[in-house]
Amino acid sequence: MSKPISFDPLQVPVIRVDHHLPPVPVLQLTAHALAERFARPPQWEPELVRERAFIDREPAAAAVLVGIVMRDEPMVLLTQRTAHLSTHSGQIAFAGGKSDPEDVDAVATALREAQEEVGLEARYVQVLGQLPVYITGSAFHVTPVVALISRDMTLQPNPFEVAHAFEVPLSFLMDPENHRWHRVEHDGVRREWLSMPYQDGEHLRFIWGATAGMLRNLYRFLQA
């Protein structure tokens, strides 16, 4: 099995942007509309479900919390992982991680990890549903758990795991005008992936890889 591809994602050229696809209408991004969509899901197919594997190991179950903070404009809660972590260091990610034996299901994993990583208490979270499992190149089978988060929540990021916790407008992420496709080749193997770079004041939040892939599936689900 090949080793992880070593490249700077910020330096990989953009090969296309999905200008032809419509954004999810703002009225479909309200708390009520999101709850209704998950209560009565449409017929749809996820667009991205598996990355090219670069680690030869047994698959591991994991879950992330795709948390939508219900402010005047709905916002998606994201984190930037600290630089010293062994996997995906420094990358933008949802709060989440590997399932523990005591976790009864993916929801339990996502809520526990959100508590551990950013101090988000479960009482502020209303789980709406799940998106299809996303298989990462590092052999994690990740269940995205989509939830509404009360604006009254407070966060206490764990400094060992989380360098920053921040929010990005849901409408920005649900607009394919902001979805950029990249391509890189390494040892004769071609890899394509999405990015959704967001300028957050002085910080460029470069959302890419698995996080962008799961957000793309959320877009397909809401747009179906």
Side-chain angles (χ1 to χ4, degrees):
M1 185 69 69
S2 61
K3 296 180 180 179
I5 297 174
S6 178
F7 60 86
D8 180 356
L10 287 166
Q11 301 304 315
V12 177
V14 176
I15 59 172
R16 71 180 188 275
V17 179
D18 289 332
H19 300 294
H20 63 290
L21 295 176
V24 176
V26 174
L27 290 178
Q28 291 178 217
L29 303 179
T30 65
H32 176 75
L34 290 168
E36 282 291 308
R37 174 52 60 106
F38 276 90
R40 299 173 178 81
Q43 292 291 325
W44 74 292
E45 292 290 335
E47 182 174 357
L48 301 171
V49 293
R50 181 188 291 269
E51 298 175 356
R52 183 180 294 276
F54 56 76
I55 291 178
D56 187 9
R57 69 175 188 187
E58 288 296 314
V64 296
L65 187 71
V66 184
I68 302 168
V69 185
M70 297 315 299
R71 305 197 187 281
D72 291 340
E73 177 177 10
M75 307 288 285
V76 175
L77 177 64
L78 291 164
T79 69
Q80 182 170 358
R81 293 166 61 83
T82 51
H84 68 269
L85 293 175
S86 59
T87 58
H88 309 294
S89 59
Q91 291 187 15
I92 303 300
F94 300 111
K98 186 177 178 180
S99 298
D100 282 352
E102 62 268 24
D103 294 335
V104 298
D105 55 20
V107 171
T109 298
L111 292 177
R112 175 183 55 76
E113 287 283 342
Q115 170 77 55
E116 293 175 1
E117 290 187 8
V118 297
L120 177 63
E121 297 179 34
R123 63 192 176 100
Y124 293 115
V125 180
Q126 175 190 346
V127 173
L128 299 180
Q130 301 175 12
L131 295 175
V133 170
Y134 184 98
I135 302 175
T136 71
S138 51
F140 285 104
H141 289 219
V142 183
T143 299
V145 176
V146 183
L148 305 181
I149 301 175
S150 169
R151 69 174 68 197
D152 297 328
M153 62 85 179
T154 57
L155 300 179
Q156 291 183 313
N158 178 345
F160 180 79
E161 296 187 62
V162 176
H164 304 283
F166 60 95
E167 299 173 14
V168 176
L170 179 60
S171 61
F172 175 91
L173 298 170
M174 296 297 101
D175 186 349
E177 283 278 350
N178 304 313
H179 298 184
R180 302 179 180 185
W181 290 93
H182 303 254
R183 179 184 298 148
V184 66
E185 293 194 16
H186 179 76
D187 290 340
V189 176
R190 176 180 294 181
R191 178 181 178 185
E192 286 193 8
W193 44 272
L194 270 171
S195 75
M196 302 172 186
Y198 176 70
Q199 194 66 43
D200 181 17
E202 63 182 18
H203 300 286
L204 175 63
R205 309 298 190 183
F206 195 76
I207 304 163
W208 72 289
T211 303
M214 287 181 269
L215 286 167
R216 176 71 167 207
N217 283 343
L218 178 60
Y219 164 77
R220 289 297 193 185
F221 174 76
L222 296 178
Q223 189 61 37

